[in-house]
Amino acid sequence: MACASVSASLSPLLRSESCLNFLSPRSIEDLVFPGGTKLDSVVKRIIYKSDDNDYDTYHSEANSTYLLQHAEATRFNLFTGFQTLPEREESFKVNETVNVHCGFYSDNGGFKISDIDMRYMRSCKVVVSTCAFGGGDDLYQPIGMVNSSIGKVCYVAFWDEVTLSTQESEGKVVDGNGIIGRWRIIVVRSLPFVDQRLNGKIPKMLTHRLFPEARYSIWVDSKYQFRRDPIGVLEALLWRTNSTFAISEHGARSNIYDEGKAIVQKHKATPEEVEVQLTQYRKDGMPDEKRLHGLKALSEASVIVRELAPVTNHFMCAWFNEVVRFTSRDQLSFPYVLWRLNMPGINMFTVCTRRDLVNSLGHTRKVKPLLTQTNSESSAM
């Protein structure tokens, strides 16, 4: 559950018709990867803030008291860095070079991955990823891939030690190569947040930090079984539409303030948390509209397909910082980031298309929260 989003689509395992016209397996085999996006994006380069390049700002004696208070009042820590409100405002400026917080701020920030796994991740050019932390969901094997795609795509599932132990106790043992079925299991140690939902946002939103050599990524929430060929999905949702980022429209609501009410009603966050977030958005001038820049304002973020380019990486960094600063309900912050950055090349596909990409198999068990703060969150205090 920590690595899945709010809405669940009730989609049968077998469907007679497709909402999206996918290429035939033979055509997918013959596909040649494009040279890169044809969009003329302003953002060309990203500098990620770290404790090395921010040393003078954050380690001066004058700031030591502020940092202590800031860390105690928020979920910012040594993994995220300590983004101030002026830095937040600066991060939404679209320039050729942007300098932003984007996780992995300090070597002492947590989310530790072995050197062997890091080498494997650096080899990936196209990645389909999911995660289950705190013992969460079972691992659903992908189906529908074309044989020629198997060697071109990395399937990566991020687990913590609790999930590993839970799965092994049920007889699902990782082999000597770190594999279960199609999935390469990456075991993460020293998770940076007590909130497992927030830990799940790291592989979901920061794919470009985890897979620095990859060109494309497809994120699939853990409650889903991915049922389409990844290369075919890239062609249908990105290349064919000249897009760099594809995400599903929300099926039930289209207004950020209605979404805030629904989150409270469903006890996904406290009224106080949601009010703090929406109050800031109103103060920033966020409009009360169902469409932003010609797109539906609300997304259902359980499947995200994107080119790992500076423009989309900037968007995901800003989005991640919002879910750290405010509630972890990413559907509430997506419209704000969409409005502020006005990123070109977004393909918001229909709910019908999302249901055609995945089988919704639901959550298996409740996530176990971290009981102690022995990682970077306590180190930041």
Side-chain angles (χ1 to χ4, degrees):
M1 187 178 296
C3 302
S5 65
V6 178
S7 302
S9 60
L10 302 177
S11 49
L13 293 178
L14 296 175
R15 303 172 181 83
S16 58
E17 296 183 2
S18 173
C19 299
L20 188 63
N21 182 23
F22 289 93
L23 294 179
S24 68
R26 179 60 182 272
S27 296
I28 292 174
E29 289 179 356
D30 295 336
L31 277 176
V32 177
F33 279 41
T37 179
K38 299 176 183 177
L39 294 172
D40 185 19
S41 171
V42 174
V43 180
K44 306 296 184 186
R45 177 171 176 257
I46 299 182
I47 300 172
Y48 300 117
K49 288 183 179 291
S50 70
D51 59 356
D52 291 330
N53 58 37
D54 273 351
Y55 187 87
D56 291 338
T57 302
Y58 289 120
H59 293 75
S60 67
E61 183 177 350
N63 277 315
S64 59
T65 301
Y66 166 77
L67 284 178
L68 179 63
Q69 295 170 344
H70 195 57
E72 290 174 345
T74 72
R75 297 183 294 189
F76 290 118
N77 56 30
L78 287 177
F79 178 81
T80 63
F82 306 93
Q83 186 196 56
T84 64
L85 282 173
E87 285 175 325
R88 173 179 179 264
E89 186 64 26
E90 188 69 21
S91 73
F92 286 110
K93 294 181 179 178
V94 178
N95 300 309
E96 185 170 315
T97 299
V98 294
N99 189 342
V100 294
H101 290 88
C102 200
F104 302 95
Y105 180 79
S106 168
D107 288 341
N108 298 318
F111 210 83
K112 297 298 184 182
I113 296 172
S114 73
D115 290 341
I116 292 175
D117 287 336
M118 289 295 293
R119 283 196 295 272
Y120 171 78
M121 292 159 64
R122 281 194 292 268
S123 74
C124 297
K125 303 303 180 185
V126 178
V127 58
V128 177
S129 60
T130 190
C131 77
F133 295 143
D137 295 322
D138 285 338
L139 188 63
Y140 302 121
Q141 293 299 324
I143 58 176
M145 69 283 289
V146 174
N147 286 337
S148 63
S149 296
I150 293 175
K152 300 176 183 177
V153 179
C154 297
Y155 290 90
V156 175
F158 292 93
W159 286 359
D160 62 352
E161 293 170 295
V162 175
T163 299
L164 179 65
S165 175
T166 300
Q167 294 295 318
E168 287 181 340
S169 70
E170 297 179 358
K172 298 162 187 172
V173 179
V174 180
D175 71 15
N177 295 316
I179 302 292
I180 295 181
R182 293 285 178 202
W183 295 100
R184 172 68 178 255
I185 308 301
I186 304 294
V187 178
V188 181
R189 293 174 172 81
S190 299
L191 293 172
F193 302 106
V194 171
D195 184 349
Q196 294 286 24
R197 294 171 301 177
L198 205 50
N199 286 320
K201 305 305 178 187
I202 298 170
K204 179 175 185 174
M205 295 180 168
L206 305 185
T207 313
H208 54 288
R209 304 299 316 266
L210 292 164
F211 299 89
E213 303 301 323
R215 290 188 58 194
Y216 297 98
S217 70
I218 300 174
W219 167 262
V220 181
D221 273 358
S222 57
K223 65 186 176 186
Y224 287 141
Q225 178 188 43
F226 191 56
R227 62 184 297 270
R228 290 289 182 179
D229 180 81
I231 308 300
V233 170
L234 295 177
E235 189 281 330
L237 296 181
L238 297 186
W239 305 339
R240 191 186 304 173
T241 60
N242 194 28
S243 303
T244 56
F245 185 99
I247 193 169
S248 173
E249 295 178 339
H250 198 288
R253 290 171 295 281
S254 56
N255 177 283
I256 187 173
Y257 299 108
D258 290 341
E259 179 68 9
K261 294 175 184 177
I263 288 171
V264 171
Q265 291 170 355
K266 295 179 180 181
H267 306 290
K268 302 293 185 181
T270 67
E272 293 78 13
E273 289 175 312
V274 172
E275 184 56 33
V276 166
Q277 186 168 1
L278 294 183
T279 296
Q280 181 65 53
Y281 289 177
R282 290 189 188 97
K283 180 180 177 182
D284 294 341
M286 175 77 188
D288 182 6
E289 296 179 2
K290 295 182 178 181
R291 301 190 71 82
L292 298 168
H293 307 305
L295 300 169
K296 188 171 182 179
L298 279 186
S299 71
E300 205 283 351
S302 57
V303 179
I304 303 173
V305 183
R306 68 185 182 106
E307 181 180 346
L308 303 184
V311 62
T312 61
N313 297 344
H314 180 207
F315 187 98
M316 298 304 278
C317 293
W319 193 8
F320 177 74
N321 291 330
E322 290 297 288
V323 300
V324 175
R325 179 176 294 278
F326 299 111
T327 73
S328 58
R329 312 314 301 180
D330 52 39
Q331 293 173 184
L332 194 59
S333 47
F334 176 85
Y336 179 83
V337 180
L338 174 65
W339 170 64
R340 289 297 303 267
L341 292 181
N342 190 17
M343 181 175 68
I346 297 181
N347 175 12
M348 290 193 74
F349 52 84
T350 64
V351 174
C352 180
T353 295
R354 170 166 52 85
R355 292 174 176 172
D356 204 27
L357 297 174
V358 293
N359 293 319
S360 181
L361 302 180
H363 296 300
T364 309
R365 60 185 68 81
K366 290 193 69 174
V367 168
K368 297 177 183 178
L370 293 180
L371 299 179
T372 59
Q373 289 180 254
T374 59
N375 47 36
S376 64
E377 199 167 12
S378 60
S379 299
M381 299 301 184

